[in-house]
Amino acid sequence: MKKALITGITGQTGSYLAALLLKKNYIVYGIKRRTSSVYNTARLEELINFKEYFNKKLFILYGDVTDYSNLDSIIKKIQPDEIYNLAAQSHVQVSFEIPEYTTQVNAVGALNLLNIIKNSQKKIKFYQASTSEMFGCQNKMPLNEKSKMNPASPYGAAKLYAYNLVRNYRDSYKIFATNGILFNHESPLRGENFVTRKITIGISEIFHGVKNILEIGNFNSKRDWGHAKDYVEAIWKIMQYKKPLDLVIATNKSYSIKDFIKECFKFLKIEIRFIGKGINEKVVDKNGKTWIKINKKFIRPKDINTLLGDARLAKKIIKWKNKTSFKNLAIEMIKEDLRRTSLKLY
Ligand code: NAP
């Protein structure tokens, strides 16, 4: 049985990855940060029978990627075959507010893990959660493994440091170190302050009468959105490939935030239209009720207009192809948040 260590196991993608690896009969270790309130394994518990696996094939230890000695002792103790580094301060807008912390976690965290692997007697494979945000603002689309990197946020810049470090340690120390350059991936388990989840939660709450209006920062940014459950398949396949490499994972289609909103309202069979311009743009229904409007406080100091990926190499090399359409992704998310909101009403 292979042993995997996942940093970021309590997050969206870490939860889907843990569920996938358990299905593949791995022994899965994860590190989680201590929080002052509750156990933060709720997302994982939505995907697996937690009681069945916990402390049998799934082990969760306290840890932090900024704490070298903690990581070192965990890795020495469990001797994993594979490490998936998904831990991050993963919110782009927040990275403008806490750039130094974002750099510690997203860049120095990867450095810590790579140094431990470098000094280890065991050959440990390493996956780095790299991101399309490293491409930043570009004139030419779609983006692939050869595209220039031009990050537009502290988040993207810190991730680019880790990406380059992976390539450097691979070349210098012959470590099996890989980068998955993943474009946006969403799901009903996406963090609640990311735009897709903000939209599905906000619309659900207005629909059920517990909120009046939803405020977001942008209607027009376009992203290449996939489903986290499809993307963790790609992450695993990248690690099983015969040699370490860097691969773009994307759907090869780009849709705007407006498109996502439209899919949600189509599912609800509510007619809406966008009126106004710039920061006055809003979503109104046929009775004139405003559902969504712009609030300046959510506008980023710098934003990327469009991200569109080209995952042809992944299709060729690791035989990975996106499965979930944009429309089905939006429907799954709005359906789940409508259900969750209705449960809170009783
Ligand atoms: P997420 O839901 O925000 O999860 C981030 C995870 O990192 C959480 O488990 C979080 O723990 C953990 N974490 C944060 N700081 C940590 C620290 N100092 N030490 C240990 N763990 C820490 O993000 P995600 O959507 O699952 O994304 C997973 C990874 O893929 C991230 O690295 C992200 O940057 C990258 N990525 C994501 C996307 C996307 O569209 N989702 C695209 C490209 C790349 P808590 O639960 O304690 O907060």
Side-chain angles (χ1 to χ4, degrees):
M1 269 185 209
K2 274 194 200 165
K3 285 186 277 185
L5 172 65
I6 304 175
T7 73
I9 196 166
T10 57
Q12 171 195 237
T13 314
S15 299
Y16 278 100
L17 181 64
L20 177 76
L21 296 185
L22 287 169
K23 218 168 97 191
K24 291 189 181 295
N25 219 17
Y26 275 67
I27 296 181
V28 176
Y29 294 86
I31 61 165
K32 69 165 190 176
R33 301 187 289 179
R34 192 234 161 215
T35 64
S36 64
S37 54
V38 285
Y39 295 110
N40 54 353
T41 49
R43 292 192 256 195
L44 203 47
E45 289 175 47
E46 287 211 27
L47 294 177
I48 59 166
N49 183 340
F50 200 72
K51 274 196 188 143
E52 184 189 324
Y53 288 111
F54 191 58
N55 283 342
K56 293 181 192 100
K57 289 176 105 185
L58 171 68
F59 301 89
I60 299 184
L61 311 158
Y62 282 109
D64 193 304
V65 291
T66 60
D67 183 341
Y68 184 95
S69 61
N70 157 261
L71 293 175
D72 192 43
S73 65
I74 288 176
I75 292 168
K76 280 203 175 104
K77 188 168 134 201
I78 67 179
Q79 296 277 309
D81 300 288
E82 299 171 359
I83 297 178
Y84 295 85
N85 184 30
L86 270 49
Q89 189 303 92
S90 67
H91 202 282
V92 174
Q93 193 188 359
V94 172
S95 78
F96 285 99
E97 287 168 41
I98 46 171
E100 197 174 322
Y101 176 73
T102 303
T103 306
Q104 280 299 330
V105 179
N106 298 8
V108 179
L111 173 66
N112 285 341
L113 289 163
L114 283 164
N115 274 330
I116 293 166
I117 293 174
K118 181 188 121 203
N119 297 330
S120 158
Q121 301 300 321
K122 185 170 172 163
K123 282 206 174 310
I124 303 172
K125 290 183 174 182
F126 181 76
Y127 173 88
Q128 169 61 19
S130 287
T131 163
S132 54
E133 290 287 328
M134 300 183 311
F135 293 119
C137 300
Q138 302 272 347
N139 296 323
K140 261 178 77 184
M141 300 278 161
L143 300 157
N144 65 24
E145 294 76 6
K146 293 195 175 116
S147 303
K148 185 178 107 204
M149 304 285 186
N150 182 29
S153 63
Y155 169 79
K159 284 282 186 175
L160 183 55
Y161 171 90
Y163 163 88
N164 280 320
L165 204 69
V166 163
R167 291 165 66 89
N168 177 253
Y169 272 50
R170 181 161 80 210
D171 290 346
S172 308
Y173 306 115
K174 310 296 167 229
I175 292 174
F176 190 107
T178 66
N179 279 299
I181 308 167
L182 272 54
F183 282 64
N184 280 63
H185 42 285
E186 317 293 312
S187 73
L189 300 182
R190 183 62 145 148
E192 294 184 9
N193 59 350
F194 289 84
V195 71
T196 50
R197 250 340 266 303
K198 266 186 84 169
I199 291 167
T200 54
I201 293 172
I203 294 177
S204 302
E205 290 181 345
I206 301 169
F207 183 82
H208 286 299
V210 285
K211 185 178 181 149
N212 280 329
I213 198 159
L214 167 65
E215 295 179 330
I216 61 172
N218 186 333
F219 285 123
N220 296 308
S221 287
K222 290 174 87 180
R223 293 289 183 271
D224 183 327
W225 324 85
H227 196 305
K229 75 171 184 265
D230 297 337
Y231 282 37
V232 295
E233 291 273 358
I235 291 175
W236 178 76
K237 281 174 169 245
I238 289 173
M239 285 284 262
Q240 310 316 308
Y241 191 61
K242 57 183 183 253
K243 57 178 193 199
L245 77 179
D246 310 321
L247 271 187
V248 161
I249 302 299
T251 69
N252 313 331
K253 289 187 184 119
S254 187
Y255 294 92
S256 67
I257 294 170
K258 256 184 195 167
D259 294 327
F260 188 82
I261 292 171
K262 284 181 194 161
E263 290 299 348
C264 294
F265 280 103
K266 249 191 244 165
F267 176 77
L268 285 169
K269 297 192 170 55
I270 294 174
E271 265 179 54
I272 50 129
R273 61 203 172 93
F274 290 82
I275 61 166
K277 282 219 157 69
I279 62 159
N280 296 316
E281 194 166 16
K282 51 190 184 175
V283 176
V284 294
D285 66 18
K286 62 178 183 193
N287 301 318
K289 176 185 166 47
T290 301
W291 286 66
I292 310 177
K293 68 175 191 175
I294 298 288
N295 184 331
K296 271 202 277 193
K297 85 171 181 208
F298 299 120
I299 299 176
R300 294 175 184 172
K302 185 163 175 65
D303 206 355
I304 303 169
N305 291 332
T306 304
L307 283 172
L308 169 64
D310 169 4
R312 275 178 298 176
L313 194 60
K315 189 176 172 194
K316 189 172 157 203
I317 293 192
I318 58 164
K319 315 281 180 246
W320 178 85
K321 231 178 106 198
N322 181 56
K323 290 185 190 141
T324 311
S325 69
F326 175 73
K327 178 181 174 168
N328 287 344
L329 171 67
I331 291 176
E332 186 181 331
M333 291 180 69
I334 185 75
K335 237 176 158 174
E336 186 54 19
D337 275 324
L338 282 165
R339 187 189 70 81
R340 288 174 181 147
T341 315
S342 71
L343 289 178
K344 281 190 211 151
L345 296 176
Y346 303 105

